[in-house]
Amino acid sequence: MRGAPRSPTLCAMTTSALPRLAERSRAFLPAERLVLPDSPGWDDARGAFNLLVDQQPVAVVLAADERDVMATVRYAREHGFRVSAQATGHNAGPHGSLANTILIDLRRLDDVAIDAEARHVRVGAGVRWDQVVPALSELGLAALHGSSPEVGIAGYSLGGGMGWLARKHGLQTNSVTAFELVTADGHLVRTDAVHEPDLFWALRGGGGNFGVVTAIEFEVYPYAELYAGALFFPFARTREVLHAWRELLPALPDELMTWAAVLHFPPDPALPEALRGGSFTVVWAVHLGSEEEGRELMAPVRALGPLMDTFAMVPPAALGDLAMDPREPLPFLSGHDLLDDVPAAGIDALVDVIGPGSDAAIAMVQIRHLGGALARRTAGAGARATLPGTLCVFSLGVAPDADAARAVAATLSAIRAAAAPYRVGDYPNFVEDPSDASSFFDPQTWHCLREVKALYDPSDLFKGNHPIPPSAEMG
Ligand SMILES: Cc1cc2nc3c(=O)[nH]c(=O)nc-3n(C[C@H](O)[C@H](O)[C@H](O)COP(=O)(O)OP(=O)(O)OC[C@H]3O[C@@H](n4cnc5c(N)ncnc54)[C@H](O)[C@@H]3O)c2cc1C
């Protein structure tokens, strides 16, 4: 299809032009791998994890391999379409409109190769963390995954990737050793610290703006066992638990990462009876060390007398579901803030809007302790080298209808107002709405990202979830 004439009708995509897209693209792709609005399976193909996100691309390509990706990118470029990539749809919200955009679904690129001796993993761009973490765990290895095992390694890594081991080992993106991707000229490129280093730098934090990644390689870490678990307290004790938790933080070593949360579980029969329909304040920790050390470090919070204590020495696979994140797609609104220097009064202000008696319309408010390696720039790091702040507050409310959405939005605004005095920035992986990505980077990093974009994608073919426009000077 490379020699096909450009079609102005297709460039200004209209509904009447869709049959022509089908006709032309079937020349480069078998019909079953091209899903159009009138195809069976359209709603499934265009779906996102957040059921409130209504993605309407012009077509979805179910890529079977990198050749499908190359053919689609060439076709899109020659016919005036844009291209966006998706593995799981866990961060589809920020895209906004996908008009005139072909969505490449990479789920079928699911190869996994583990070199245990070298502590090195290679995965296809459609692989989720739960397709790798258990196998690594059996080999005594842990990866830098986050709270949900359903999240895709590609999107997570391209945006940063902050999980349970982040205070010791930093963001996942800086453990990536190579990407393979199809760039705007339709070629498959391998990039690492030596080959096309500017592109390698930009991909590590710059997201899906530079091409369609087909494979990722990354380092993993030698942990056969960790001390990890959760302390569940009654929701009524939120204030004292969060104060005790905050007071614990300054003394913690990088080897220990702790998160606290208020969780309201739905009355879902699939949940364990002890949690079903219940409300709790939960304190988790993962300690890269012995049980004795971990117990001592968590003693001030445990001394409050939890209802349930699940801490034990566990294999790394146990971290996959430790946070009990929702696994099935659901309709939700969320918000987050990175915070620094939060005093006791800041915890009180937060508890006033989410704690007992607040009537907060929220399923979860999770606070992660940052710092450690997340605050240290290492030599050779990518565009997302560090995260500012010492706390990350992430809140999520389920919104099955308009009334619920209004109530959740009001609670999210109240949380944001309580956090505002301590706010130091955003974490792009947690941004769920279309946003100005320049605010996620310092001016120099943003300038360099735009220059790399101009070098590799001057016509802005690729629409990342957080768009980076090509630099005008170089474009
Ligand atoms: C329940 C839940 C829990 C989460 N927990 C964490 C956490 O603990 N830590 C954390 O850091 N983040 C977390 N996240 C955020 C998550 O990392 C982002 O949503 C991430 O972007 C998801 O990547 P994905 O590939 O699964 O999603 P997708 O929506 O498929 O991809 C997100 C974006 O990444 C880009 N992209 C994906 N694949 C490719 C590719 N092959 N080539 C080019 N670009 C690509 C695209 O721009 C795409 O829009 C969580 C999100 C949810 C919903």
Side-chain angles (χ1 to χ4, degrees):
M1 209 59 209
R2 289 194 78 183
R6 280 185 86 81
S7 159
T9 316
L10 282 169
C11 292
M13 195 64 198
T14 62
T15 311
S16 62
L18 287 172
R20 274 194 247 175
L21 171 64
E23 198 180 290
R24 285 166 189 243
S25 45
R26 275 180 191 131
F28 74 84
L29 209 65
E32 69 276 9
R33 300 218 285 276
L34 177 73
V35 190
L36 294 164
D38 59 356
S39 308
W42 172 244
D43 284 339
D44 187 41
R46 71 187 182 89
F49 182 74
N50 187 342
L51 299 177
L52 298 183
V53 176
D54 179 24
Q55 300 196 99
Q56 296 286 355
V58 291
V60 179
V61 168
L62 307 175
D65 54 30
E66 56 270 17
R67 286 185 303 262
D68 284 352
V69 177
M70 289 160 74
T72 306
V73 166
R74 288 172 182 167
Y75 178 85
R77 195 191 62 219
E78 287 166 12
H79 294 90
F81 294 105
R82 299 191 75 193
V83 170
S84 211
Q86 173 165 305
T88 69
H90 271 71
N91 199 224
H95 275 303
S97 169
L98 288 181
N100 205 41
T101 301
I102 299 177
L103 187 63
I104 304 187
D105 183 314
L106 295 143
R107 264 176 288 181
R108 285 155 189 77
L109 275 65
D110 58 359
D111 288 345
V112 174
I114 299 173
D115 181 341
E117 207 167 310
R119 292 196 285 105
H120 186 262
V121 178
R122 178 187 166 88
V123 294
V127 173
R128 300 181 315 262
W129 281 115
D130 65 354
Q131 292 169 280
V132 177
V133 168
L136 285 173
S137 184
E138 287 195 4
L139 295 164
L141 297 169
L144 304 187
H145 61 84
S147 57
S148 168
E150 306 288 329
V151 161
I153 296 176
Y156 177 89
S157 303
L158 288 163
M162 186 243 293
W164 289 110
L165 310 190
R167 278 172 46 81
K168 177 69 179 173
H169 296 292
L171 295 164
Q172 154 71 4
T173 201
N174 295 313
S175 282
V176 173
T177 55
F179 291 100
E180 285 172 13
L181 72 159
V182 177
T183 46
D185 58 9
H187 289 111
L188 186 66
V189 170
R190 182 179 169 84
T191 175
D192 56 28
V194 176
H195 304 95
E196 322 236 13
D198 292 345
L199 180 59
F200 184 56
W201 171 85
L203 284 164
R204 289 175 296 150
N209 288 291
F210 305 93
V212 177
V213 171
T214 55
I216 304 185
E217 298 178 11
F218 55 94
E219 192 183 349
V220 290
Y221 298 91
Y223 296 107
E225 275 196 313
L226 326 122
Y227 178 66
L231 303 173
F232 287 78
F233 296 90
F235 176 55
R237 298 184 68 189
T238 300
R239 198 173 295 271
E240 65 174 310
V241 173
L242 291 190
H243 276 298
W245 181 77
R246 186 195 73 92
E247 284 161 20
L248 186 73
L249 305 180
L252 295 177
D254 295 354
E255 284 72 20
L256 191 140
M257 188 158 184
T258 174
W259 304 355
V262 165
L263 296 179
H264 301 285
F265 290 97
D268 180 350
L271 287 169
E273 202 182 334
L275 303 180
R276 201 179 305 151
S279 293
F280 302 90
T281 301
V282 180
V283 172
W284 294 273
V286 173
H287 177 56
L288 303 170
S290 70
E291 175 163 4
E292 194 187 359
E293 288 163 3
R295 285 192 79 82
E296 199 179 318
L297 290 163
M298 294 306 292
V301 177
R302 185 176 274 116
L304 298 178
L307 291 172
M308 269 187 284
D309 180 345
T310 70
F311 273 87
M313 291 304 290
V314 293
L319 306 190
D321 222 3
L322 185 61
M324 301 170 287
D325 272 0
R327 297 190 74 148
E328 295 299 323
L330 73 168
F332 68 90
L333 299 174
S334 68
H336 86 287
D337 290 287
L338 300 181
L339 309 178
D340 207 1
D341 291 330
V342 180
I347 295 293
D348 280 330
L350 184 64
V351 177
D352 286 347
V353 295
I354 63 161
S358 66
D359 283 339
I362 210 83
M364 168 179 98
V365 178
Q366 186 191 75
I367 317 174
R368 301 185 183 191
H369 182 214
L370 309 182
L374 286 169
R376 288 191 292 268
R377 179 179 289 270
T378 51
R384 173 63 52 207
T386 57
L387 280 186
T390 48
L391 296 180
C392 173
V393 179
F394 176 86
S395 314
L396 181 151
V398 183
D401 55 44
D403 284 347
R406 266 190 295 277
V408 172
T411 301
L412 293 175
S413 296
I415 294 171
R416 178 149 268 213
Y422 321 106
R423 182 178 150 78
V424 289
D426 284 302
Y427 173 44
N429 272 12
F430 285 170
V431 175
E432 298 272 354
D433 296 309
S435 307
D436 173 5
S438 69
S439 67
F440 305 154
F441 300 93
D442 63 69
Q444 176 64 21
T445 302
W446 180 246
H447 175 78
C448 294
L449 283 167
R450 291 193 62 191
E451 290 203 335
V452 177
K453 174 77 172 176
L455 271 177
Y456 284 91
D457 184 16
S459 62
D460 207 10
L461 177 69
F462 296 113
K463 191 177 191 310
N465 49 345
H466 301 303
I468 298 174
S471 155
E473 292 144 43
M474 298 188 63

